[in-house]
Amino acid sequence: MSDTLIAFDDVLASYDPAMGLEVHVELNTLTKMFCGCPTEFGAAPNTQVCPTCLGLPGAMPVVNRKAVESAIRIGLALNCDIAEWCRFARKNYFYPDMPKNFQTSQYDEPICFDGYMDVDVDGETFRVEIERAHMEEDTGKSLHVGGATGRIHGADHSLVDYNRAGIPLIEIVTKPILGTGAKAPEVARAYVAQLRDLIVALDVSDARMDQGSIRADVNLSLSPKGSGVLGTRTETKNVNSLRSVERAVRYEMSRHAAVLGSGQKILQETRHWHEDTGVTTSGREKSDAEDYRYFPEPDLVPVAPSREWVEELRGTLPENPTARRARLQAEWGFSDLEMRDTVGAGALNVIEQTIAAGTSPQAARKWWLGELARRANEQGLLVDALPVTPADVARVQALVDEGSLNDKLARQVFDGLFAGEGTPDEVVAARGLAIVSDEGALSTAVDNAIAANPDVADKIRDGKVAAAGALIGAVMKEMRGQADAGRVRELILEKLQ
Amino acid sequence: MSDWTRKTAAELADALAAGETTSVEITQAHLDRIAAVDGAVHAFLHVDAEGALAQAAESDARRAAGTLLSVLDGVPIAVKDVLATNGLPTTCGSKILEGWVPPYDATVVRRLREAGLPILGKTNMDEFAMGSSTEHSAYGATHNPWDLDRIPGGSGGGSAAAVAAFEAPLALGTDTGGSIRQPGAVTGTVGHKPTYGGVSRYGLVALANSLDQVGPVTRTVLDSALLHEVIGGHDPLDSTSIDQPLPPLVDAAKQGADGDLTGVRIGVITELAGDGWQPGVMTRFQESVDLMVAAGAEVVEVSCPSFVHALATYYLILPAEASSNLAKFDAMRYGLRVWPEEGASAEEVMRATRDAGFGDEVKRRIILGTYALSSGYYDAYYGQAQKVRTLIARDFEAAFEKADVLVSPTAPTTAFKLGEKLDDPIAMYLNDLATIPANLAGVPGISVPSGLADEDGLPAGVQILAPALADDRCYRVGAALEAALLKQWGAPLLDKAPALEGPSA
């Protein structure tokens, strides 16, 4: 049952894409949106619950001030207006993981509205207009047991964990994003990426897409090229990585074009994104008749942030991540590609801190995007979650710079750091990793290598300096890596020329 | 031995203070009375004899140690079954919550415990407080102690009947459109609906959140004031609760009992009289107004033209909020669970459970409310109702410029026969005609017995309404009227009620 698709370039020959992105951000407040339960991720099921977030009869909500503060800061960072007065509303629908069978959200009175974010794609700037950012509570989590797919259909039974119920969310909704053409998928990705950076800079969320603390829904429609008439949209849910955002937009564009090209109509529906296969499948049909019967939450009083408070919060905003990146790129002298890789790996902060600890920008980048990124990848972690600090990296590089370590030994130091063996200096001492600077031992090793490889030695004597590599390798092997390769090379050339 | 069940709460507190009795003795006397008469009255859904006696014993121990928690420490109380009680069943009169035992206390219940009042049990009510007769309880109707064939009012008929039948000196009620005041009127007891936000709603299973208030149900105005001071005041768990101290209520009741109303302006509401109001009820009302004038009050007639729309407004706002509140009863986490068939889906279980667990009146209001909130109808119904609500609040504001308190009969008739209006919802709804405006505007109101109607010898009530936050005015004027009537009657009205069965039965 695979969809017919049309090649991406052909889509653009006939259609203009329009996108809308809805991003849910789970806030990192210590307690839930409307009660005092802790929000820590990964606790045993149904251990972080109380009458309010379980929706027990009689329990009532109280708004978390810190969540309102985070919402306002996000709004300000997105250049939004902040409502002087707004209310929560009930969004009524039945679902087993929703304790009250209504979600306390905001409807026609969002706390933040009318903002924008400028998104950079390959040096071109697209302005994404923000319609609103509003506060709401998360639902519980259903676990469908039995059946093949973990989905509700075919499951034997379902279990519900209400730990997540009531976690504060901010939903950020864009206006239709038009005029992006072939760059639509990249603009979508860049928007979510920049938004994530902003959230990280604001320190209002863990911002872990892999853990669901940032979740994106992608709305997409096509209109006949140049017509300006918006087509029927689909809403693709469950898009939980930056790469998926880009792929989902690309996929839906190709699918829409194929459906429209065959003379059929796009069904207005929710679609599910499948990370593994890279396709979307039909979810529930979403007609305009779907009626959430919103009305103002009568158990809560309006939220009316004073202008003084809003201005105070404006004063706490961090440097805009886009501006900050431009500044750091210039300071560090990174190429566009190097900078993009740095940001993509989530290594901006650790590299900045490593440089601040005295390491050169290129050396900091080399470690964090090379050796450490590889190890993080193996462990399914982000680089900033590794058991190695920027200060450790700076110290390792300092040891390399002063000639005490070479790169190979440095990697062994990292092994020690990962194994929890202490500071870099302690690892070097305990494992005996320092480079041997005993010239006598080194000289002997070089002589041994020359004697063992007369052919190579002859080549070097004939001026083929490049052949020295083979001898260096032999010396390093004898020295068990604990030698400075540059000094070895010098010694070889001295002896043979 | 005195019959402690005939005493008011204030008298019991005095007797305890004087060492004439113990909380255990008083509590046991009420438990005995419940055992004797509640088979006929059916005011209680759950009696916690063991718990109440244990709490009474603790109270007596505190008294011996000189560590009393409040003036009412040791005086027992009954609690309407719509309030969450940790460890005691809370059904809201519904099958859907049969057997549910809350793991937490409503704030008002916590405050009762913190003040040392033993809790006798939970009182009957119309299912989820929807009704004016207690006949919509899934556990059978409560009977009016004045005439067991008649309704005790509703939704809080159980609390009013318990107090009227001397099964409890005090009870908690809740009032969304008159559920404290109308049962008070038809059982010859006192009930006060506080200013919206004056008493915490945390743990009150919401009927209509913007209208509900918890309040005292007692036999005297002073007892209501005493209980109100225990349960009232700001609660951080209820965002709609008012963050300022209560006015002195007990002082106001005591001041009123002196019988002097000189300088007080009493407003009689034009719209709350006329055709459909029982003559005997109106006669008693007029008499009460005359007594207040004799006590020095000045009477002015005030018009509140929007009140004629109050009932219609109420029956849009209430079902809308209720339809959403009651969505949580879905068999997933607590209460009844009905499996329509082996392997049914969650949705099918929800549907079957709600079908079996809710009574007809509840379903009627869920349907009404769902409709009123639906897209395309919201503006015409819910939106419009909110606008009328504002007009009603403005009528009150204008009226309170001319008068310090407003008065009307509490209910248009005395208690009707059980079953009489069960098949006519509109006739049933009309019972709350006079009480609903106060809920829509959030102002306080007390119902005080005005005597027996001549036609049927059944109790009628006078309602005294005051501006928001001025609950003390209700207590002052109510106590003054009560004192004047008592002087006229020579004995409390409830002395004329049938004895039911003696405590020794």
Side-chain angles (χ1 to χ4, degrees), chain A residues 94-335:
Chain A
F94 283 85
Y95 204 77
D97 63 18
M98 199 161 56
K100 296 166 293 182
N101 285 319
F102 61 79
Q103 181 187 30
T104 308
S105 179
Q106 294 194 287
Y107 180 47
D108 50 359
E109 298 167 3
I111 187 158
C112 311
F113 54 96
D114 288 349
Y116 64 86
M117 178 191 259
D118 286 330
V119 173
D120 293 314
V121 174
D122 300 337
E124 195 179 346
T125 300
F126 294 88
R127 174 155 293 193
V128 173
E129 290 187 275
I130 308 294
E131 182 170 299
R132 57 189 285 157
H134 71 251
M135 302 176 279
E136 60 185 31
E137 57 179 342
D138 211 341
T139 61
K141 225 177 202 169
S142 296
L143 177 69
H144 304 296
V145 181
T149 59
R151 290 187 177 273
I152 193 162
H153 295 294
D156 295 329
H157 62 276
S158 302
L159 298 170
V160 190
D161 177 6
Y162 293 103
N163 282 354
R164 200 182 69 177
I167 300 257
L169 293 178
I170 304 298
E171 180 175 345
I172 301 160
V173 183
T174 68
K175 291 181 179 165
I177 305 167
L178 307 170
T180 54
K183 287 189 172 165
E186 289 159 277
V187 170
R189 176 188 179 134
Y191 166 72
V192 178
Q194 272 186 227
L195 186 56
R196 188 193 64 180
D197 292 346
L198 188 68
I199 298 298
V200 168
L202 288 165
D203 191 24
V204 292
S205 168
D206 297 343
R208 295 287 302 267
M209 292 192 83
D210 57 328
Q211 288 182 357
S213 53
I214 293 188
R215 312 197 280 269
D217 298 342
V218 176
N219 289 279
L220 185 113
S221 68
L222 294 182
S223 50
K225 205 165 180 60
S227 72
V229 182
L230 287 180
T232 304
R233 69 189 163 86
T234 52
E235 181 179 1
T236 303
K237 298 238 181 217
N238 203 21
V239 190
N240 291 336
S241 71
L242 294 178
R243 181 164 165 263
S244 293
V245 170
E246 182 173 343
R247 289 167 78 204
V249 169
R250 189 176 292 269
Y251 181 88
E252 276 298 285
M253 283 174 69
S254 294
R255 193 185 65 82
H256 277 227
V259 171
L260 295 171
S262 69
Q264 290 173 289
K265 283 186 175 162
I266 291 292
L267 197 61
Q268 185 172 339
E269 63 180 354
T270 298
R271 296 187 68 85
H272 295 293
W273 170 251
H274 301 273
E275 185 106 33
D276 45 355
T277 50
V279 303
T280 68
T281 56
S282 178
R284 71 199 146 95
E285 192 171 336
K286 188 170 190 173
S287 69
D288 287 329
E290 187 156 18
D291 187 351
Y292 293 117
R293 305 189 310 283
Y294 282 101
F295 72 104
E297 168 56 78
D299 276 341
L300 291 172
V301 291
V303 174
S306 73
R307 296 302 95 179
E308 293 74 30
W309 190 34
V310 171
E311 288 316 308
E312 192 188 313
L313 293 177
R314 196 189 298 279
T316 69
L317 294 185
E319 181 182 8
N320 175 287
T322 311
R324 173 174 171 239
R325 271 208 300 276
R327 174 176 64 80
L328 292 177
Q329 186 178 353
E331 284 175 18
W332 298 345
F334 281 11
S335 70

Side-chain angles (χ1 to χ4, degrees), chain A residues 51-52 54-63 90 92 94-96 98-102 162 288 290-301, chain B residues 100 103-104 196 201-205 209-210 236-240 320-321 324-325 327-330 332-334 346 350 354 370 373-375 378 382:
Chain A
T52 294
L54 276 179
L56 294 191
M60 293 177 71
V62 176
V63 176
R90 292 185 182 181
N92 293 286
F94 283 85
Y95 204 77
M98 199 161 56
K100 296 166 293 182
N101 285 319
F102 61 79
Y162 293 103
D288 287 329
E290 187 156 18
D291 187 351
Y292 293 117
R293 305 189 310 283
Y294 282 101
F295 72 104
E297 168 56 78
D299 276 341
L300 291 172
V301 291
Chain B
W100 182 57
Y104 77 106
Y196 184 79
R201 293 186 295 113
Y202 185 80
L204 156 61
V205 181
N209 324 57
S210 72
L237 296 178
D238 174 0
S239 306
T240 66
E321 293 181 8
S324 173
N325 290 332
K328 64 168 66 77
F329 299 100
D330 63 359
M332 292 298 121
R333 295 169 305 286
Y334 44 76
M350 283 185 191
R354 290 168 66 81
T370 302
L373 288 175
S374 293
S375 149
Y378 180 93
Y382 190 78

